[in-house]
Amino acid sequence: AQTVTQSQPEMSVQEAETVTLSCTYDTSESDYYLFWYKQPPSRQMILVIRQEAYKQQNATENRFSVNFQKAAKSFSLKISDSQLGDAAMYFCAFNTDKLIFGTGTRLQVFP
Amino acid sequence: DVKVTQSSRYLVKRTGEKVFLECVQDMDHENMFWYRQDPGLGLRLIYFSYDVKMKEKGDIPEGYSVSREKKERFSLILESASTNQTSMYLCASSMFGSEGYTFGSGTRLTVV
């Protein structure tokens, strides 16, 4: 079975600091896609960043970047220069034929 | 921008009622999905559809059914609502799974 594990139910960070959210997954597939979604209190799921498994280069979107370790099946999200608006639930997700989600990490940002 | 619209933001229903949750997308996406979100459990896939009139069971289909009569509309049906179906329900659509999914803003269902 394909699974996604987020081992940090809650994290906190000071404004302007950097935080890393962890994610591991399990699959026997070699070709797949990985995603981080953000869910603020509005409940709207927002795609933050996407990684193709066949690409070795780590994806980056402005202040958001990933550390993708395919052999270790690890896909962590780094948020640099954290802002108050980054406070949300963050979900890691894995896709071959359908999207499988982790249990989420609630990120708090303190001024 | 792709838009996925869920007809109700909040819904309160009684045990035993038949409940319809409606989802409409406006970008001609082939694939549509229903997830259930519970604290500590993340999002779990209930049903999905890759085409009109086609449906596939996800990981937790028990107690639910779906209908997809038109490409843009995917309905989730609770035949006889029970209190353990109190949850947040999220609809999503995609053209290609490699691009990720677009989600609606969710329906918070309470069954009393």
Side-chain angles (χ1 to χ4, degrees):
Chain A
Q2 295 164 341
T3 58
V4 178
T5 301
Q6 294 180 250
S7 58
Q8 306 153 316
E10 290 191 1
M11 292 283 284
S12 61
V13 64
Q14 203 96 28
E15 207 175 358
E17 298 295 307
T18 295
V19 64
T20 298
L21 308 185
S22 301
C23 174
T24 59
Y25 59 94
D26 190 22
T27 183
S28 57
E29 302 284 340
S30 59
D31 191 18
Y32 49 87
Y33 300 87
L34 294 158
F35 306 88
W36 278 97
Y37 279 87
K38 170 185 176 181
Q39 187 183 43
S42 67
R43 300 178 346 200
Q44 184 67 55
M45 294 281 279
I46 302 163
L47 178 62
V48 175
I49 199 164
R50 168 183 171 273
Q51 175 79 43
E52 297 163 5
Y54 64 87
K55 285 190 177 178
Q56 292 187 341
Q57 187 172 3
N58 289 322
T60 299
E61 288 287 341
N62 301 314
R63 299 182 294 108
F64 298 87
S65 61
V66 298
N67 183 3
F68 174 48
Q69 303 287 330
K70 190 172 184 179
K73 296 180 182 173
S74 170
F75 183 61
S76 60
L77 175 69
K78 185 171 85 171
I79 306 173
S80 304
D81 185 26
S82 296
Q83 300 175 359
L84 295 176
D86 295 334
M89 282 290 290
Y90 285 83
F91 291 97
C92 177
F94 163 96
N95 192 353
T96 52
D97 61 342
K98 52 188 182 291
L99 214 49
I100 299 168
F101 285 86
T103 52
T105 297
R106 182 171 300 281
L107 178 66
Q108 293 182 300
V109 181
F110 294 103
Chain B
D1 274 355
V2 177
K3 207 165 182 184
V4 178
T5 303
Q6 293 184 233
S7 54
S8 304
R9 191 159 173 83
Y10 297 94
L11 215 50
V12 180
K13 295 292 181 181
R14 294 197 179 277
T15 301
E17 272 193 82
K18 190 168 186 175
V19 181
F20 293 85
L21 302 184
E22 306 288 348
C23 176
V24 177
Q25 50 95 3
D26 65 1
M27 278 299 287
D28 205 34
H29 280 178
E30 300 286 341
N31 311 317
M32 296 189 75
F33 308 84
W34 274 105
Y35 286 87
R36 170 177 171 160
Q37 182 180 358
D38 299 288
L41 297 178
L43 280 73
R44 295 178 291 166
L45 184 63
I46 305 172
Y47 266 96
F48 60 101
S49 168
Y50 290 151
D51 201 354
V52 176
K53 304 235 186 236
M54 177 268 183
K55 60 186 178 185
E56 291 281 348
K57 292 180 180 179
D59 299 318
I60 53 164
E62 296 77 19
Y64 304 94
S65 63
V66 290
S67 171
R68 193 162 180 206
E69 296 294 321
K70 292 185 177 181
K71 191 175 187 178
E72 66 271 18
R73 186 181 295 271
F74 193 36
S75 304
L76 181 69
I77 304 160
L78 287 65
E79 295 288 344
S80 177
S82 63
T83 55
N84 62 12
Q85 292 177 310
T86 290
S87 187
M88 169 84 81
Y89 291 88
L90 289 165
C91 176
S93 73
S94 76
M95 182 61 82
F96 304 108
S98 59
E99 300 299 320
Y101 296 178
T102 301
F103 283 84
S105 53
T107 295
R108 189 174 295 282
L109 172 68
T110 302
V111 183
V112 298

